[in-house]
Amino acid sequence: MNPQAPVYVRREDDAWLTVVYYHFHAWSGRRPFWAGLFTLLGGFPIAYFPYADLRLGNVSLAMATTGGAGALIIGVLLITLGLALWFQQTIRVFAGVAAILLALVSIPVSNLGGFFMGFSLSMIGGALALAWVPGQPADEAPVDQRPAAVDLGKTEAMAGFQNIPGPRETETAYASDTTAHADGGRNSAG
């Protein structure tokens, strides 16, 4: 989401397709759209391949496994999590973690996670869901939280960290004067 993006104002001569595009773009910019899409698309191969059969002439190849019901449940849950990411942005962390865990469980349960297609899509969707954070427009940010511009000279900028406190009065500046090195290197425990 780009908070500095211009807001679309509809004009009378705009085509309906342009209006739909801008409304969809505004809708998808306020939610983890790509995370939901990848998670949703990852659920389909995981649920499909255990029930798929391939016909080559008179020969039928079935991919049916004993974990067919488990694969169907995992696929349906991933599709549900993808839709939930679109319509309930507040559960993005839960949905991201759940999508990653379901993708990992799909490897042994449903034909290597839908031949790694559903697995990889679900992993990417879960990672995107965890990484997405809602944006805040610059105009709505509180004044005290905005970073202040600092003009540093070349020597100040290359000096390193600023405002690092020095040693206290009770601390010594050299390691040889500390209690660890006093008394010939012996320390007392009490």
Side-chain angles (χ1 to χ4, degrees):
M1 181 174 157
N2 185 0
Q4 287 85 20
V7 177
Y8 172 71
V9 178
R10 184 169 190 247
R11 294 191 304 253
E12 293 297 324
D13 59 344
D14 283 344
W16 68 271
L17 192 57
T18 304
V19 174
V20 169
Y21 169 75
Y22 279 114
H23 282 288
F24 173 75
H25 188 66
W27 175 82
S28 66
R30 291 187 299 266
R31 61 198 73 244
F33 176 75
W34 292 106
L37 183 67
F38 279 115
T39 305
L40 180 97
L41 291 178
F44 286 114
I46 290 173
Y48 174 73
F49 285 128
Y51 295 101
D53 59 338
L54 178 66
R55 297 191 188 275
L56 299 171
N58 293 333
V59 178
S60 176
L61 298 173
M63 301 297 296
T65 61
T66 57
L72 183 64
I73 290 170
I74 290 172
V76 168
L77 284 175
L78 284 170
I79 292 168
T80 305
L81 286 173
L83 291 172
L85 281 169
W86 284 349
F87 298 108
Q88 295 291 328
Q89 299 85 15
T90 56
I91 65 164
R92 69 184 189 283
V93 175
F94 167 75
V97 170
I100 290 172
L101 289 176
L102 286 171
L104 289 171
V105 169
S106 73
I107 290 175
V109 171
S110 76
N111 296 329
L112 298 174
F115 298 116
F116 292 110
M117 289 185 292
F119 167 74
S120 59
L121 288 171
S122 298
M123 288 293 282
I124 291 170
L128 287 174
L130 289 174
W132 185 82
V133 178
Q136 183 178 16
D139 296 332
E140 294 179 11
V143 177
D144 59 339
Q145 291 182 359
R146 291 184 188 167
V150 178
D151 186 25
L152 297 176
K154 185 176 181 180
T155 57
E156 292 173 344
M158 297 182 70
F161 296 109
Q162 303 295 325
N163 300 328
I164 297 177
R168 298 185 189 129
E169 292 177 12
T170 59
E171 296 176 347
T172 57
Y174 302 103
S176 62
D177 295 340
T178 63
T179 58
H181 299 286
D183 298 328
R186 293 178 297 166
N187 291 329
S188 63

